[in-house]
Amino acid sequence: MARVIGTIPSDRSENEVLKELKNQCPKDWTIISNICWSVKDKKGYVRDGEADFAVLIPESGLVVIEVKGSRRFKVKENGIWARFERGKWIDINKKSPPEQATKNMHELVGLINEKNNWTTFKGRYSYVVVYPQGEISDYPQMFDKSTVVTKKNMGHLPSVLKVSLEERDHGNKGKGFSPLVIETIIDLLKDRKFYVASADTNIEVEDDLSKIEMLTRQQHASLRGLFQLPSVAVLGPAGSGKTLMAMWRMMSLVEHGSEAIYVCYNKNLANALQLKYPDYREYIWSVDKLFTSFLEQPINQYKDVEFYRESLPLLVMDQADSIRKYDAIIVDEGQDFSENQIIGLLELLAEDNTWAFFADWNQDLYNVSSGAPIGAEVIFHLYHNCRNTVLINDASNKVLNSNVESMPGMPEGVSPEICYAKVQSKLVWELAKDWKGKGSVAILSPFKLENSSLSKQKSGHGLVLSEDIADLNADKAIYFSTIKSFKGIEASSVIVIDTKIPNEHKAFSQENLYVACTRATARLALISSEREVVTYLSKVLKS
């Protein structure tokens, strides 16, 4: 596995290429991601440059990689590049991908030579344009296909890169590209003048909840049990993959013809999963919405929480004999359900069919559950956190004085930021702007928006606040939520505002802080306008 240096790309195609490079290339190769520089041209004007990746290959040279996301492209006889989009071919009138890559290659090599006072580059250099999801439809005879990688040869990246260098120089020039030369180049590109920052996460963190390879042995065992046993409970800490497993189980049952549903307490979690899995939208429910769907008469929208937790399940149980039964019910965030809600769901289950219950008692924010996995005959336990970086997981452990281990291989990441701000909104928007280009950002508060420190400043730095979960990944919006309503959901970066000393305010318990911390996969900031809170959190989380 190759060494990776640099920031993690926010672009999906670049992420895919980085993953393949990291996994395919030998361990003595170095991949530098997202290289940016600024230079003055002959007229004295400053020009910015950027390369998606540079790969440094010992005893060979440097390859600059330009990544493109098009699925179909072609090169016309006149040399014009075109991409297929919305049913028609569109010419690329600006610089073609090879022209962009060539320019970046020569400029980057020139800067390296200049900064090191080299008269010539200490190795070979070349470029490659990569279309990880693309295929080439047509090209002229004069076109050199060795400069382009398409979907069909994504599995052979090391050989493609080596050939690209060999095609540039068949001599021994590559022998001069020694480990010392490589480290010299790395040190230069890590310099602030170039601005290549050390990565605070890795590509697996961005989609660790979408690949089974990221699960630990305990998670694998639980998954196998779910597929073999009719009535199970899976208990595990935040970030251990419970929601992922619950969704997998439901989807597998549906694909095999079962009448199955996934049910959670948090309606925002249900909405987020419906957006993420649109093909299974009709099988994903919040418990209140599911139970309400069985009532013949619409209920008063102003009914209190007690009605939904206690009375509504009883109404459903009264009608259970006349309601269609499900072959399988998958319950997620089970610690949030009242006993009546769980029993009501069991009444909707056909006899001798599938029941799966997922829970984490450390996330019991409502204090209504029975504390036991009702309906389960077999209980599985998860032990590893595979969502958060090591440093965020360590901080989360200190909140509850627990000892949840990070999954082996998880990146260390960066420490949570604990910040004092007399006016929180200014700092919040600065962080949101800085982190927005590096993945999804969520702002969490123990209070509703109108009672939070952002109530009077709902925009900043070209970004606007949104309470629609669909905007979690929107370009110009930052999602706001209460901590409770974000339970079960995650974001690359989480900014917690209105932070208090746990248990000194009824809206901010230890469990609230734990849930808030464990929502962040890579970056976490805790902000308060009270110095004593900052002092307390700094002592607890950084001890």
Side-chain angles (χ1 to χ4, degrees):
M1 184 177 290
R3 174 171 55 163
V4 177
I5 297 172
T7 56
I8 300 304
S10 58
D11 180 81
R12 185 180 182 86
S13 297
E14 291 175 23
N15 268 331
E16 184 175 348
V17 172
L18 178 56
K19 187 186 98 170
E20 294 300 329
L21 285 170
K22 179 180 177 181
N23 291 334
Q24 293 182 36
C25 295
K27 64 181 181 180
D28 60 345
W29 289 24
T30 301
I31 303 152
I32 306 179
S33 168
N34 192 22
I35 307 168
C36 302
W37 61 86
S38 296
V39 295
K40 285 187 177 180
D41 61 20
K42 294 179 180 179
K43 296 182 180 180
Y45 295 108
V46 175
R47 289 188 295 101
D48 295 326
E50 180 180 1
D52 294 331
F53 301 104
V55 180
L56 309 179
I57 305 174
E59 298 188 350
S60 190
L62 177 151
V63 183
V64 172
I65 296 178
E66 182 80 16
V67 179
K68 297 298 178 184
S70 301
R71 293 184 178 273
R72 288 181 62 191
F73 66 99
K74 67 179 180 180
V75 186
K76 299 180 179 180
E77 289 295 335
N78 59 5
I80 298 295
W81 284 58
R83 65 177 182 272
F84 193 74
E85 189 174 296
R86 296 180 180 178
K88 61 181 180 180
W89 287 101
I90 301 174
D91 288 350
I92 300 175
N93 294 318
K94 58 182 181 179
K95 286 185 178 180
S96 68
E99 288 178 301
Q100 296 175 41
T102 301
K103 170 181 171 294
N104 291 336
M105 175 187 70
H106 286 296
E107 197 164 87
L108 184 58
V109 167
L111 283 169
I112 292 172
N113 288 340
E114 178 186 338
K115 298 297 181 182
N116 288 297
N117 294 315
W118 295 343
T119 55
T120 59
F121 192 66
K122 304 295 184 179
R124 304 160 169 160
Y125 55 90
S126 64
Y127 75 86
V128 171
V129 180
V130 180
Y131 287 81
Q133 295 296 329
E135 59 181 33
I136 187 166
S137 297
D138 194 17
Y139 55 91
Q141 290 184 347
M142 296 293 289
F143 176 68
D144 181 6
K145 288 204 300 180
S146 70
T147 61
V148 176
V149 176
T150 57
K151 181 179 180 180
K152 70 178 182 179
N153 47 14
M154 275 292 290
H156 310 284
L157 288 176
S159 60
V160 171
L161 299 183
K162 291 178 72 173
V163 167
S164 75
L165 289 169
E166 292 166 0
E167 291 291 328
R168 295 274 171 171
D169 175 64
H170 297 285
N172 295 319
K173 192 174 181 180
K175 297 295 183 182
F177 207 65
S178 65
L180 179 61
V181 168
I182 290 174
E183 292 304 318
T184 301
I185 294 174
I186 291 171
D187 288 342
L188 173 64
L189 297 186
K190 287 169 62 178
D191 189 275
R192 290 292 296 180
K193 295 175 183 176
F194 281 82
Y195 193 64
V196 178
S198 295
D200 56 10
T201 180
N202 65 19
I203 189 160
E204 284 87 349
V205 175
E206 297 300 323
D207 62 351
D208 64 352
L209 298 182
S210 67
K211 290 181 172 62
I212 189 170
E213 294 82 20
M214 295 298 292
L215 299 178
T216 60
R217 292 179 183 176
Q218 286 84 3
Q219 279 123 336
H220 275 298
S222 297
L223 187 60
R224 286 197 297 269
L226 283 173
F227 277 76
Q228 296 168 1
L229 302 172
S231 178
V232 299
V234 179
L235 308 181
S240 57
K242 298 185 300 297
T243 296
L244 174 62
M245 289 188 192
M247 287 299 299
W248 274 343
R249 184 54 173 142
M250 181 272 288
M251 290 188 286
S252 174
L253 288 162
V254 169
E255 288 168 3
H256 285 84
S258 294
E259 186 78 10
I261 54 172
Y262 163 100
V263 186
C264 60
Y265 178 78
N266 183 1
K267 65 179 181 180
N268 281 348
L269 174 58
N271 292 339
L273 291 172
Q274 288 174 343
L275 291 169
K276 185 175 182 180
Y277 304 102
D279 291 344
Y280 296 90
R281 186 181 184 89
E282 64 184 290
Y283 307 104
I284 300 170
W285 293 85
S286 68
V287 64
D288 291 346
K289 191 169 184 179
L290 175 67
F291 284 170
T292 302
S293 70
F294 294 120
L295 300 183
E296 296 180 359
Q297 299 294 328
I299 62 173
N300 188 322
Q301 61 178 321
Y302 300 108
K303 292 287 188 180
D304 59 17
V305 174
E306 189 73 13
F307 169 81
Y308 286 100
R309 288 198 174 277
E310 306 302 334
S311 303
L312 179 57
L314 292 174
L315 293 175
V316 172
M317 284 186 256
D318 288 342
Q319 302 179 53
D321 290 340
S322 60
I323 294 175
R324 64 172 183 171
K325 296 295 192 292
Y326 293 97
D327 298 327
I329 296 179
I330 315 299
V331 177
D332 193 16
E333 301 288 315
Q335 72 281 347
D336 296 335
F337 289 70
S338 69
E339 188 169 332
N340 275 0
Q341 288 172 318
I342 294 296
I343 296 173
L345 289 171
L346 286 167
E347 288 287 329
L348 300 178
L349 185 65
E351 189 173 351
D352 297 326
N353 270 290
T354 300
W355 172 261
F357 181 95
F358 294 79
D360 174 17
W361 308 123
N362 285 330
Q363 296 186 69
D364 184 4
L365 301 185
Y366 301 99
N367 298 312
V368 297
S369 70
S370 65
I374 299 173
E377 296 177 358
V378 179
I379 300 175
F380 287 93
H381 289 273
L382 306 179
Y383 299 102
H384 289 82
N385 182 317
C386 63
R387 173 196 293 145
N388 313 118
T389 58
V390 173
L391 289 176
I392 291 178
N393 182 52
D394 287 347
S396 303
N397 277 327
K398 290 171 183 176
V399 171
L400 291 179
N401 194 27
S402 56
N403 189 30
V404 178
E405 295 184 6
S406 291
M407 184 186 69
M410 287 297 289
E412 182 177 8
V414 293
S415 297
E417 297 185 23
I418 302 172
C419 310
Y420 167 78
K422 186 174 182 180
V423 180
Q424 296 184 56
S425 56
K426 181 180 179 181
L427 177 58
V428 169
W429 285 113
E430 288 175 355
L431 281 174
K433 178 190 176 185
D434 184 43
W435 289 353
K436 183 60 178 174
K438 304 168 186 176
S440 56
V441 178
I443 298 173
L444 307 183
S445 171
F447 311 119
K448 292 183 178 180
L449 179 57
E450 60 268 24
N451 298 321
S452 76
S453 58
L454 287 184
S455 61
K456 296 181 180 179
Q457 189 170 345
K458 300 177 183 178
S459 63
H461 294 286
L463 301 169
V464 296
L465 214 57
S466 171
E467 294 184 90
D468 185 345
I469 189 65
D471 288 332
L472 179 58
N473 293 292
D475 290 338
K476 298 297 183 181
I478 299 292
Y479 181 65
F480 176 91
S481 172
T482 63
I483 295 170
K484 285 185 176 181
S485 293
F486 203 66
K487 200 157 66 64
I489 311 173
E490 66 181 47
S492 300
S493 302
V494 169
I495 303 168
V496 185
I497 62 174
D498 307 314
T499 310
K500 305 292 182 183
I501 294 176
N503 298 327
E504 288 194 0
H505 191 289
K506 64 179 182 180
F508 201 77
S509 64
Q510 276 187 303
E511 289 79 12
N512 279 100
L513 179 56
Y514 175 73
V515 168
C517 289
T518 54
R519 300 306 98 199
T521 62
R523 303 169 189 84
L524 172 66
L526 303 170
I527 302 175
S528 179
S529 58
E530 302 172 48
R531 291 191 184 277
E532 59 269 26
V533 173
V534 174
T535 300
Y536 171 85
L537 292 176
S538 297
K539 182 179 179 180
V540 171
L541 300 187
K542 296 188 176 182
S543 60

